[in-house]
Amino acid sequence: TPLNIAQLAKQFSVPPHLLQEFLASLGQFGLVERRPRGGWRLLGFTADYAMELSEFRALLEVNAARTVTTLPDTHPIWTAIDDLDRAHLHLLSRIDRDFRDFSRLDEKFHATISAVVKNRFVTDFQKVISLIFHYHYQWDKQSERDRNLAAIGEHRRIIATMRSRDTNAAQAAMQAHLATSKETLIASLRVNHLG
């Protein structure tokens, strides 16, 4: 699909040069490409792309969960994890009416854990992971409350295993959560006839 930069810039109220920079950053991940005579083309998001991204995401985030378990008590991640746990409990207490708030909390949860790995390549990939995974919740509204409730439980298991400093359990809990996330993403693609 050809992308009209001027129209998109106007629609999202951003300067065209910022949109160009954003598209260039997505280009390295195969979501868009420059057209030979100028402009951009959206390449699309397929089930194959989702599978590849899920596999790579698992490598990054399982490693991050392992890394967290090795950090000293004085590391700032532990305060951040306590804050995340409280935020999950707060959302859990109001899940029936505010379940749609989970997407932002999910993004913050994964970004916080991934941030402990100081690696420029991880930082770049987190941008596309965030774009795809943390906003696919908007695609499929069926059973959204139940999915978000289950994900809160999975996040809290990851937090508990990291707090216990059990590296194997933290890796397994993150792996299980990411497997659920992958299944949800693939189901969203099917519902929206994208996969």
Side-chain angles (χ1 to χ4, degrees), residues 109-120:
F109 174 81
H110 289 279
T112 299
I113 292 170
S114 295
V116 301
V117 178
K118 301 298 181 201
N119 183 307
R120 72 189 80 204

Side-chain angles (χ1 to χ4, degrees), residues 159-170:
I159 289 170
T161 59
M162 289 188 305
R163 279 180 172 156
S164 72
R165 307 303 178 96
D166 186 335
T167 300
N168 290 335

Side-chain angles (χ1 to χ4, degrees), residues 68-169:
V68 169
T69 66
T70 67
L71 297 173
D73 292 337
T74 56
H75 194 281
I77 189 63
W78 299 113
T79 301
I81 284 176
D82 289 343
D83 292 344
L84 282 169
D85 199 25
R86 279 190 293 277
H88 281 78
L89 285 170
H90 183 62
L91 181 55
L92 192 58
S93 72
R94 53 190 176 80
I95 193 71
D96 287 333
R97 75 172 183 278
D98 295 332
F99 61 88
R100 289 181 184 90
D101 291 351
F102 177 73
S103 184
R104 284 188 302 271
L105 182 57
D106 185 54
E107 182 175 7
K108 184 176 181 181
F109 174 81
H110 289 279
T112 299
I113 292 170
S114 295
V116 301
V117 178
K118 301 298 181 201
N119 183 307
R120 72 189 80 204
F121 303 107
V122 170
T123 302
D124 282 345
F125 275 98
Q126 280 304 128
K127 292 174 189 172
V128 75
I129 288 168
S130 179
L131 177 68
I132 301 301
F133 281 93
H134 302 131
Y135 293 98
H136 80 272
Y137 294 103
Q138 298 175 14
W139 303 346
D140 180 9
K141 299 299 184 187
Q142 297 175 9
S143 307
E144 184 178 9
R145 179 210 171 270
D146 295 338
R147 283 195 320 267
N148 292 351
L149 180 62
I152 288 171
E154 291 176 356
H155 283 189
R156 296 204 65 235
R157 276 189 288 284
I158 294 165
I159 289 170
T161 59
M162 289 188 305
R163 279 180 172 156
S164 72
R165 307 303 178 96
D166 186 335
T167 300
N168 290 335

